[in-house]
Amino acid sequence: QVQLQESGPGLVKPSETLSLTCTVSGGSISGYFWSWIRQPPGKGLEWIAYMSDSGSTNYNPSLKSRVTLSVDTSKNQVSLKMTSVTAADTAVYYCARAVGNTYYFDYWGQGTLVTVSS
Amino acid sequence: SYELSQPPSVSVSPGQTASITCSGDKLGDKYVSWYQQKPGQSPVLVIYQDTKRPSGIPERFSGSNSGNTATLTISGTQGMDEADYNCQAWDNSIGVFGTGTKVTVL
């Protein structure tokens, strides 16, 4: 059974960089697209970006200037970095596997809450 | 930017049918997936490629997509179906989620 586990600091100061890692177990990272999705408290889901195992990426235009994804196939990990965070970036951050030729999200991590506050 | 609109809430009596719409420009030309999210939990895929159900999802969940509207239908709604539901599609390789619908089983 494929499992995704997000990890990283739960508290980040304004203007600093948010760094999260998604570790995939029970399956290979190869052959799939991996996305980051966030959900501010009490609000809806927002797609952040995706990356393939080969390094192909695409970003939400509203976040593109601040977000970078990377993949480490040897560790089965996908990472997210978001710079210059503000309180508006406070959210539960999920990683999810996108599969098939239409890229639906079939596996999700449990999510990790990141609070931006001084 | 592309937008997907959903009604904020839908109420349904147990055993009845709940229909949740997702509207977007020429949405019928895209594939839509639907996700169920219960409080404090991660989203769960319930419909993909407009009409397909993943293994383990009850047959009472079905989907359709035509024109500008995709619809998730829950037939014979049960109390366990009370949750938030989000549609999702891709527009020029950009992921877009709907605004979300809270389904209440009264």
Side-chain angles (χ1 to χ4, degrees), chain B residues 20-62:
Chain B
I20 306 156
T21 58
C22 174
S23 299
D25 185 48
K26 298 180 181 178
L27 184 57
D29 293 342
K30 309 177 189 299
Y31 278 117
V32 174
S33 54
W34 289 90
Y35 301 87
Q36 176 194 68
Q37 186 178 27
K38 296 181 179 179
Q41 298 183 18
S42 304
V44 173
L45 177 70
V46 294
I47 293 289
Y48 66 99
Q49 291 180 10
D50 296 339
T51 62
K52 299 179 180 178
R53 272 181 299 105
S55 173
I57 299 301
E59 290 185 9
R60 63 180 179 272
F61 288 89
S62 63

Side-chain angles (χ1 to χ4, degrees), chain A residues 80-100:
Chain A
L80 166 73
K81 289 189 186 299
M82 181 181 292
T83 62
S84 304
V85 298
T86 70
D89 295 311
T90 293
V92 175
Y93 286 76
Y94 297 99
C95 63
R97 189 178 81 169
V99 68

Side-chain angles (χ1 to χ4, degrees), chain B residues 81-95:
Chain B
D81 301 328
E82 187 163 286
D84 292 330
Y85 290 85
N86 285 272
C87 58
Q88 189 270 330
W90 295 91
D91 179 62
N92 293 323
S93 299
I94 302 297

Side-chain angles (χ1 to χ4, degrees), chain A residues 35 37 39 45-47 50 58-61 94 101-106 108-111, chain B residues 31 33 35 37 41-45 48-49 86 88 90 92-99:
Chain A
S35 267
I37 296 155
Q39 185 171 37
L45 299 167
E46 179 182 31
W47 177 79
Y50 71 61
N58 207 10
Y59 298 93
N60 186 323
Y94 297 99
N101 57 354
T102 58
Y103 302 113
Y104 50 92
F105 302 112
D106 63 342
W108 295 66
Q110 66 183 27
Chain B
Y31 278 117
S33 54
Y35 301 87
Q37 186 178 27
Q41 298 183 18
S42 304
V44 173
L45 177 70
Y48 66 99
Q49 291 180 10
N86 285 272
Q88 189 270 330
W90 295 91
N92 293 323
S93 299
I94 302 297
V96 181
F97 283 95
T99 49

Side-chain angles (χ1 to χ4, degrees), chain A residues 1-2 24 40-41 43 59 82 91 94 96 118:
Chain A
Q1 178 76 347
V2 174
V24 180
K43 296 188 178 181
Y59 298 93
M82 181 181 292
Y94 297 99
S118 56

Side-chain angles (χ1 to χ4, degrees), chain A:
Chain A
Q1 178 76 347
V2 174
Q3 292 186 321
L4 287 64
Q5 178 69 58
E6 304 89 348
S7 59
L11 181 64
V12 181
K13 289 182 169 56
S15 80
E16 295 190 345
T17 296
L18 178 162
S19 297
L20 297 174
T21 297
C22 174
T23 302
V24 180
S25 59
S28 174
I29 204 168
S30 299
Y32 299 98
F33 281 72
W34 302 89
S35 267
W36 286 93
I37 296 155
R38 70 180 182 178
Q39 185 171 37
K43 296 188 178 181
L45 299 167
E46 179 182 31
W47 177 79
I48 299 172
Y50 71 61
M51 169 169 262
S52 72
D53 60 320
S54 63
S56 172
T57 57
N58 207 10
Y59 298 93
N60 186 323
S62 67
L63 299 170
K64 185 175 183 177
S65 64
R66 300 194 292 127
V67 171
T68 303
L69 263 60
S70 60
V71 62
D72 186 334
T73 54
S74 67
K75 295 182 179 179
N76 252 20
Q77 291 179 335
V78 181
S79 296
L80 166 73
K81 289 189 186 299
M82 181 181 292
T83 62
S84 304
V85 298
T86 70
D89 295 311
T90 293
V92 175
Y93 286 76
Y94 297 99
C95 63
R97 189 178 81 169
V99 68
N101 57 354
T102 58
Y103 302 113
Y104 50 92
F105 302 112
D106 63 342
Y107 286 99
W108 295 66
Q110 66 183 27
T112 186
L113 174 63
V114 178
T115 302
V116 179
S117 175
S118 56

